[in-house]
Structure formats: C-alpha cells, structure tokens
C-alpha cells in the first residue's frame, strides 16, 4: 500500500493560483475582496492557495522598469498587442465590471483605479509610462501583499507545478501535481505562471503554441555593430521585409557586439523575422535632400578647403559611428568630400542597414510569445471554454504587448477580471 502524497489530505482549496506575478496576485486580491464583500455574516470566505515556483513572490513586478516597475500606461489600446481583438474584448469586460467593485465608471484606466484603491500613488513619465511615486517596484508588490495577508491567503514559494489534472467528473476537483510528488486539490485552478511554464499537461485539451522569446535585442549579420559595442544613439528604426515597411519605432538604440538593443529594437523584435532589414536613421527630421551638400560648402568656407568625409560627419554622429557609415558608403574618411560623396553620406545617415538574424539574447527578452490560444477562453471571464473552472491569465495566453507598461497592464487586467468573476460566484 502506497503512502498518500503530502498535502493530499489537507482541506480542499476553493482556488489554487499557479504563479505569484501581477496576474496571479491581482486575481487573488480581487477574488478574496469580492468574496468577503458578498459573504453573509459567519460565512466562510474563499480558501485560496498561491503556488510560486521562485523563492519569492512578485518577481516579474520587481524586475519591471529596471526595478522601478512600469506597471501600466496612460495610453493602453488593443493595437499595442498581438491578438488585439481578444485584448479589446477583455478590457471592455473589465471596464464593465469595475463599477461593481468600487471603481468609478469615469476612471479611464481600471488597473490604476484598482491599485489606487489599494493605496498606490504613481506618476506619469514620457510616452505615458506609469511608475510608483516611490520609484521602487517593491511598493507595487507591498500594496498587493497586504490584502492577501489580511484575507489569509496561503502562499507557498518554491512550489514548482508540473501538471494540472482537471476534474474527471462533475463536482470533482482539480489536482495540481508539484515537483517532488505533492498534490494540491482545488475546486478552481488559475494558470498565471507566465510564458515559460509550459502547457502543464493541458495542451491536449486547450490549443497551445510553444513559447518563443520576444521583446528583446536582435542579432544582426556582419561585423557592422561589433566596433559600436555599448554606443547609444536616438534614432528612427524601420523594419523592412522584401522592401516593404513592416513597423517603425523611434527611441534609443544600443549597439552590441552581436547586434542591437534598446526599447525601439525590443518593440521591433515582436514583428521581426530572420532576413528582415533594420534601417536606421541617425538624424531623423534633419538633413533633407541637398542639406549635406550645403554643409560641405559651409565647412569649406570655414576650413578654407573642402572638408574630409570625417569632418563632414563631425558634430552629427560619434567617430565610431562615422566609421561604419563611411564603410557602408565605401568612402575613405580622410578623402575630401564632393557633392556626390556628401549625398552618399546623407543617404547612409538616414538609411544605415543591418540584416536581422534573430533574437540576440533570449535571457534579455521581457516576454514570451505563445502559450494558450486566446480564443480558448471566455474573454469576459478568462475561463477556459472546454475546462470549466480553469482560468488562464496574462502571459500564459498567446498575448504580448509593446514596451511601456503594456504587458503588466494586461497581466493586472486579466487577474482582476478573473478574480472578480470567481469571487462573486
């Protein structure tokens, strides 16, 4: 006769949440708050267990925004995400549900309305990015942790989930298999474990795409970026495929030995493929047609002779960048500039090209694209259509957004909506 696995004989949970990131924590808070608000006197509130594989909760929150936590954006739109129609439907459902949970219908951002109710104060920075006023990611985690402790949620760290087994009969329960042989039982299960956790044994029940890293640096062919390692420049970068514009971003680009990084590149990585062209404009909006020839003439008057190609680029870009622009234009830096060579330099200044090989460093990617198909869940609740009682949130779905707080906003939104739904049922 075998020994019953540890944890199996403990009381069953109403909810087990796999993952203690933004979506999992928001789900627990909203479910517990809603359940307590709707409970009659003496009625037992929800019994919730959160299982986190890491040694502490909230790691995605703590590492966001370089430790400052860019938790949302003032300009969230479905267009910032892949699978935008699914995002749109869920955000509409969230806005519709918010007034019943203490958030004014006039609140433009339901996520900030939720965090404000928990005590968070924030500020807005460039491009609509929202950060806590303290400038510390730990502040966001603190306001989420407090209600969980108040409501008595059970939180286990170092709990690696290997498989989720749905109920085998009506009225039965979910069985969560942990590494080491432990089993946890629950009436409802929530997958909020991000894009790296895998299908947890559910890929035969729910369509699932193997995740790939995106929102990260790009590797490029050739040796053009190696001499520029660690140089930063504010540019406009266009992603071209077969001569057609696929996407365009403005912002800082950091050159690395293997390719390019920076927020503009991270965003373009979401649309890029091997073989695409990155076209970099080092002086967007400047030096229109004929301007470089005029610059050559102006410098010639100052220097009393025609400027060299290096001198023509001085004051516009760094010397190491000038080297690569001239190499691409097949010009010698010390040679005197002519109108023809000035025109060639101007072309390179606005259209320096790199060929994409793929993701440059998967460890630096902020999200994983892939996971469970969004159409497999009800967008108004995030409950799986084919597995009642199972909810799939945030990055565990095949939805990812641009840099700037969009991914954490999506995670919070999913957690809030699912939590409210479960807390009032």
């Amino acid at each position: 006769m075998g020994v019953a696995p540890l944890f199996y004989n403990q009381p069953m949970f109403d909810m087990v949440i796999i993952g203690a990131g933004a979506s999992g924590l928001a789900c627990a808070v909203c479910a517990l708050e809603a359940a307590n608000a709707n409970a009659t006197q003496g009625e037992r509130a929800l019994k919730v267990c959160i299982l986190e594989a890491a040694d502490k909760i909230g790691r995605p929150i703590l590492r966001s925004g370089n430790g400052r936590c860019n938790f949302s954006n003032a300009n969230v739109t479905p267009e910032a995400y892949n699978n935008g129609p699914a995002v749109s439907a869920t955000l509409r459902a969230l806005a519709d549900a918010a007034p019943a949970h203490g958030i004014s219908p006039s609140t433009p951002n339901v996520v900030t309305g939720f965090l404000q109710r928990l005590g968070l104060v924030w500020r807005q920075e460039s491009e609509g990015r929202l950060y806590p006023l303290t400038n510390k990611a730990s502040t966001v985690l603190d306001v989420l942790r407090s209600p969980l402790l108040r409501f008595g949620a059970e939180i286990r760290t170092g709990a690696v989930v290997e498989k989720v087994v749905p109920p085998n009969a009506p009225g039965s329960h979910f069985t969560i298999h942990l590494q080491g042989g432990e089993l946890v039982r629950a009436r409802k299960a929530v997958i909020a474990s991000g894009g790296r956790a895998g299908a947890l044994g559910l890929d035969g029940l729910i369509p699932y795409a193997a995740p790939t890293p995106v929102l990260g640096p790009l590797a490029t062919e050739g040796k053009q970026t190696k001499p520029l390692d660690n140089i930063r420049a504010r540019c406009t970068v266009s992603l071209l495929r077969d001569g057609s514009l696929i996407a365009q971003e403005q912002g800082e680009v950091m050159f690395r030995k293997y390719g390019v990084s920076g927020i503009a590149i991270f965003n373009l990585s979401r649309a890029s493929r091997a073989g695409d062209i990155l076209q970099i404009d080092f002086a967007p909006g400047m030096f229109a047609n004929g301007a470089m020839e005029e610059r050559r003439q102006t410098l010639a008057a100052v220097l009393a002779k025609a400027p060299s190609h290096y001198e023509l680029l001085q004051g516009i870009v760094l010397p190491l960048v000038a080297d690569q622009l001239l190499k691409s234009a097949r010009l010698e830096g010390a040679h005197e500039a002519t109108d023809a060579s000035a025109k060639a330099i101007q072309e390179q200044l606005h259209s320096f090209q790199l060929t994409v090989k793929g993701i440059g460093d998967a460890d630096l990617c902020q999200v994983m694209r892939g996971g469970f198909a969004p159409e497999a869940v009800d967008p108004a609740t995030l409950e799986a259509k084919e597995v009642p009682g199972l909810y799939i949130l945030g990055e565990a779905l095949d939805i990812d957004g641009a840099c700037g707080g969009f991914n954490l906003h999506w995670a919070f939104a999913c957690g809030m909506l699912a939590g409210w739904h479960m807390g009032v049922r």
Side-chain angles (χ1 to χ4, degrees), residues 220-228 324 328 352-355:
T220 58
E221 292 180 353
K223 301 178 181 178
Q224 296 155 290
T225 65
K226 188 174 182 179
L228 305 179
Q324 296 307 309
S328 291
F352 180 68
Q353 294 191 344
L354 301 169
T355 303

Side-chain angles (χ1 to χ4, degrees), residues 30-50:
C30 288
L32 286 163
E33 184 183 23
N36 276 268
N38 288 281
T40 59
Q41 188 171 5
E43 185 180 357
R44 180 176 63 87
L46 285 178
K47 189 173 181 62
V48 174
C49 178
I50 303 173

